[in-house]
Amino acid sequence: MQAHERLLAALDGYPRLPLAEYPTPLEPLPRLSRELGRPVYIKRDDQIGPGLGGNKTRKLEYLLADARQRGARKVATFGGLQSNHARLTAAAARQLGLEPHLLYFARRPARMTGNLLLNELLGAQMHFIPFGGGGDASMTLEQTIRLVRIVAWAILGRHYFIPVGGHSWRGCLGYVRAAVEIDCQARALGIERASLVVAVGSGGTLAGLMAGLALTGSPLGLLGIDVGKLWKAFPPTIGRLAEELCRRLGQPQTFDARQVPLIERTYAGPSYGVPSQAASAAIRRLAQSEGILLDPIYTGKAFAGMLDLCRRGALPADQPLIFLHTGGLPALFAA
Ligand SMILES: Cc1ncc(COP(=O)(O)O)c(C=O)c1O
């Protein structure tokens, strides 16, 4: 456990404002395990608050601590219309007395549903810009972030800018910390090896876990399932972020694009934000076997991918599965 302690000490070198209770539960799924013929667990990051929560809270704990230290009054971020990250940024900003601004590169919808409705309740200022904004695989994620940063400055003036999905080394320290948590919980349950499966949107959760599992020497295998066909040259972007995380934590490692455990496109369905039939079926299957709800945009697609890979024998048959539930449930109520 020396590696864990060393890593936690390095993480403690960066300011963080805890916004939730940890560890989140790592629960067995007994009926699904029987159906699949192997142990299946779920890591409940959907149970993290505030404002109906999800994975982005772990990133915001580092980002908003930095915003506070810099004396920011306004925080701004951007995403797709049903961005959980944007809604969570609004909720966490309110919890800390900051003013949330959310940029959407789309027309203002006639009806505010799902995450947009929650943003309204949180009093977030939503700015709808009906062009640009990336996310159609014509630009890299880094290019998109650079461009939107300029637009945000032009609209808002002085503010603390958070990239889409909290995709930055500072935000993703949250998932390095989560990797330590998951590795410790898996060991405590006697899980020696397992496949840890996660939905991938901006890739920061995956990058944080890659860095964290590598630096703890964890035996857990990691697999990211892309939900959106969103970015050009995505694996190198994720590899670079994982490298930067390790460097910032004082233990440099290299991750070239081939080492990024990402299945691109296969399970993304028609496009980002549009549910696939397989995702809808996966949502019903988990709901009806275990009483746990997934969302149609991220976790439903990733869970469908995990079930399909399992069926096709593409995940080591002798190992348990751990599904990281990253939240996103407000999208179930989006029209
Ligand atoms: C519910 C949910 N799951 C997974 C993800 C993917 O996380 P990341 O953007 O870090 O890849 C997101 C955000 O994009 C999300 O909102």
Side-chain angles (χ1 to χ4, degrees):
M1 298 303 256
Q2 234 178 350
H4 292 67
E5 276 152 29
R6 185 169 166 214
L7 184 51
L8 287 173
L11 284 163
D12 285 343
Y14 292 100
R16 169 174 174 251
L17 285 169
L19 295 167
E21 293 285 321
Y22 301 102
T24 57
L26 178 61
E27 298 170 347
L29 297 176
R31 280 157 297 274
L32 194 72
S33 302
R34 268 201 300 279
E35 286 173 25
L36 298 186
R38 63 164 92 192
V40 188
Y41 296 84
I42 192 160
K43 171 72 173 163
R44 303 299 304 269
D45 275 11
D46 58 315
Q47 293 188 351
I48 301 176
L52 300 187
N55 62 333
K56 298 304 154 75
T57 300
R58 291 189 188 261
K59 300 185 189 181
L60 289 163
E61 291 179 342
Y62 283 97
L63 291 164
L64 294 181
D66 188 44
R68 266 270 183 87
Q69 273 203 346
R70 290 169 190 268
R73 193 171 59 78
K74 295 180 192 171
V75 294
T77 194
F78 69 105
L81 283 176
Q82 282 302 324
S83 166
N84 299 297
H85 163 71
R87 179 252 311 161
L88 253 167
T89 301
R94 287 302 189 203
Q95 190 170 343
L96 299 174
L98 299 164
E99 189 183 301
H101 290 260
L102 310 175
L103 273 61
Y104 296 98
F105 291 86
R107 280 183 204 291
R108 175 182 280 272
R111 282 182 62 224
M112 295 299 202
T113 58
N115 280 297
L116 292 170
L117 172 64
L118 299 179
N119 294 339
E120 265 192 357
L121 298 177
L122 291 160
Q125 296 203 30
M126 290 182 268
H127 307 265
F128 293 92
I129 304 151
F131 53 84
D136 57 3
S138 65
M139 284 194 286
T140 66
L141 181 50
E142 289 98 329
Q143 287 167 335
T144 306
I145 292 169
R146 274 198 296 275
L147 225 99
V148 177
R149 188 186 290 271
I150 296 167
V151 175
W153 274 97
I155 294 176
L156 301 173
R158 188 174 143 74
H159 68 279
Y160 186 84
F161 180 77
I162 299 178
V164 60
H167 183 97
S168 69
W169 68 266
R170 189 180 290 280
C172 296
L173 292 172
Y175 267 91
V176 176
R177 184 175 282 274
V180 179
E181 185 180 308
I182 295 169
D183 186 62
C184 288
Q185 285 177 312
R187 284 174 202 264
L189 287 170
I191 301 171
E192 280 172 10
R193 290 181 174 276
S195 303
L196 173 61
V197 180
V198 60
V200 174
S202 68
T205 302
L206 182 65
L209 291 172
M210 279 169 63
L213 294 178
L215 296 180
T216 50
S218 171
L220 298 178
L222 184 59
L223 181 63
I225 298 191
D226 166 41
V227 300
K229 311 173 189 167
L230 292 167
W231 317 109
K232 189 169 150 187
F234 195 23
T237 293
I238 297 173
R240 276 193 293 276
L241 183 54
E243 282 184 359
E244 179 156 22
L245 283 162
C246 293
R247 197 167 57 247
R248 299 270 183 178
L249 291 163
Q251 300 178 61
Q253 297 241 351
T254 47
F255 296 96
D256 73 33
R258 281 162 310 186
Q259 286 168 278
V260 175
L262 176 68
I263 299 190
E264 277 196 284
R265 294 161 194 269
T266 314
Y267 299 108
S271 66
Y272 171 76
V274 180
S276 64
Q277 276 186 1
S280 303
I283 292 170
R284 284 174 193 278
R285 182 163 183 190
L286 186 65
Q288 291 169 20
S289 63
E290 305 284 352
I292 296 175
L293 295 168
L294 299 170
D295 83 287
I297 297 179
Y298 294 94
T299 53
K301 289 183 181 178
F303 205 81
M306 183 179 84
L307 292 177
D308 184 60
L309 292 165
C310 201
R311 194 164 41 238
R312 292 196 291 108
L315 295 170
D318 55 338
Q319 293 180 15
L321 303 173
I322 302 176
F323 184 77
L324 176 55
H325 192 336
T326 42
L329 297 190
L332 277 172
F333 305 99

